[in-house]
Structures are given as C-alpha cells and as structure tokens.
C-alpha cells in the first residue's frame, strides 16, 4: 500500500461534510428493524447472545427463503432486533471482513450494563479490546466483530453524530 496523503483526505472529508451534512432533517426511516447475521450453530449463538450478552431471544421461525434454515431474533433495545440465519447443509466458511461486508456491529448499552457485560465476557473467556473507556470490541462465536459502546445513542466518544 502506498503512502496516504492525510491532508488531502481531510480536505475531501471537509468538502463532503459541507456538501452533504443535513443536520435537523428527519429521516424517512423509523429505525433499524433488524440486522441479520449468519451463524453455524443456532444453540451456540443463543447461548452467547442471550447467556453472555443478555439479549433476550424473542422468536425463532423457519426461514422462508431456505428450507430447513432458522431465522431467529434477539432484542437489543428500543424496538431493534439482531437476527440470525443458519443454513444447514451449506458450507459457509469462516467469517471474513470484505469490502461491502460487515466490519462491526456497535450496540449501545447503559454504562452499568457495559461493566457487567465486560465481566460476562471475562467469565466466558471471550477476548476483547477495550477502547476509550467506553467501547469493547470482540468476536462472536462465528467471528463477527461486535462492539458494546456505553455512549448514549446518537453519541460517540463525546461527539454528537445524530
């Protein structure tokens, strides 16, 4: 990879900010209904997300698009869901971060819950990276990168992003 012109990148960021930021404008969306990830083992995923992260399993149904597959949901607060599919008989291979793919999923939790969940991760032997005293990054059982952030919704590291 060649040398990066940081001054040019910052100038382009400022140009884009000036041209496209629309503070105060209402979105056409109501919110995130669900984000769907893939898993290799339904029960292992439930044990991790419900047992370790304390996200209640709300439903498990058949996947209408793939016979024998499950579509199941966890409550992540404020009417938002985290969903999973398994695809029995289909070899998915290891998780990979690729252009156009998922880098990480950031889930806001109250500061007291953040501390408790960090303890849950420790107790479960899950390795994590703590950043800025408000974020924990770790991988789920299938390798997807998850962030638990104790900043309020619409804020990140003291910056209002909403």
């Amino acid at each position: 990879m060649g040398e990066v012109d940081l001054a040019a990148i910052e100038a382009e960021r400022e140009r884009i900010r000036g041209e496209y930021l629309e503070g105060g404008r209402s979105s056409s969306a109501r919110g995130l209904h669900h984000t769907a990830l893939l898993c290799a083992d339904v029960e292992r995923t439930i044990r991790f997300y419900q047992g370790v992260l304390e996200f209640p399993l709300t439903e498990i149904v058949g996947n209408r698009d793939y016979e024998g597959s499950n579509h199941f949901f966890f409550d992540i607060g404020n009417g938002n869901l985290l969903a999973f599919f398994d695809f029995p008989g289909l070899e998915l291979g290891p998780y990979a971060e690729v252009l156009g793919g998922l880098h990480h999923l950031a889930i806001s939790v109250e500061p007291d819950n953040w501390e408790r969940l960090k303890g849950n991760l420790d107790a479960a032997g899950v390795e994590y990276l703590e950043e800025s005293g408000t974020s924990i990054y770790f991988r789920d059982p299938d390798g997807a990168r998850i962030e638990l952030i104790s900043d309020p919704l619409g804020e990140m590291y003291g910056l209002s992003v909403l």
Side-chain angles (χ1 to χ4, degrees):
M1 187 167 160
E3 208 170 298
V4 176
D5 184 346
L6 295 177
I9 290 171
E10 180 60 32
E12 179 65 358
R13 183 181 303 122
E14 286 303 315
R15 183 195 68 75
I16 291 170
R17 184 180 285 122
E19 186 170 338
Y20 294 103
L21 280 186
E22 294 186 356
R25 181 176 174 197
S26 294
S27 175
S28 63
R30 291 189 295 199
L32 180 66
H33 187 280
H34 70 274
T35 295
L37 302 177
L38 301 178
C39 74
D41 184 310
V42 172
E43 196 166 358
R44 179 182 70 181
T45 301
I46 293 170
R47 284 193 308 263
F48 183 77
Y49 282 92
Q50 182 167 264
V52 177
L53 298 183
E54 303 177 9
F55 303 158
L57 179 70
T58 62
E59 185 58 276
I60 181 168
V61 297
N63 176 0
R64 67 174 183 235
D65 300 325
Y66 188 90
E67 189 70 30
S69 172
N70 293 289
H71 192 189
F72 54 107
F73 301 84
F74 297 94
D75 180 356
I76 59 171
N78 291 309
N80 298 291
L81 297 164
L82 178 59
F84 285 86
F85 290 108
D86 70 332
F87 291 107
L90 185 62
E91 185 59 42
L92 299 176
Y95 177 82
E97 291 178 2
V98 296
L99 188 60
L102 177 72
H103 181 268
H104 74 276
L105 182 64
I107 300 171
S108 178
V109 297
E110 292 290 336
D112 289 345
N113 292 344
W114 187 84
E115 287 293 338
R116 187 179 65 256
L117 295 174
K118 186 165 74 164
N120 290 358
L121 291 169
D122 286 332
V126 176
E127 293 182 22
Y128 59 83
L129 173 65
E130 185 175 332
E131 279 293 327
S132 306
T134 60
S135 288
I136 304 169
Y137 294 89
F138 54 93
R139 295 204 180 267
D140 81 353
D142 289 295
R145 188 188 322 253
I146 308 295
E147 175 186 6
L148 296 180
I149 184 167
S150 64
D151 289 337
L153 292 170
E155 295 182 21
M156 190 173 74
Y157 311 137
L159 176 67
S160 177
V161 294
L162 181 62

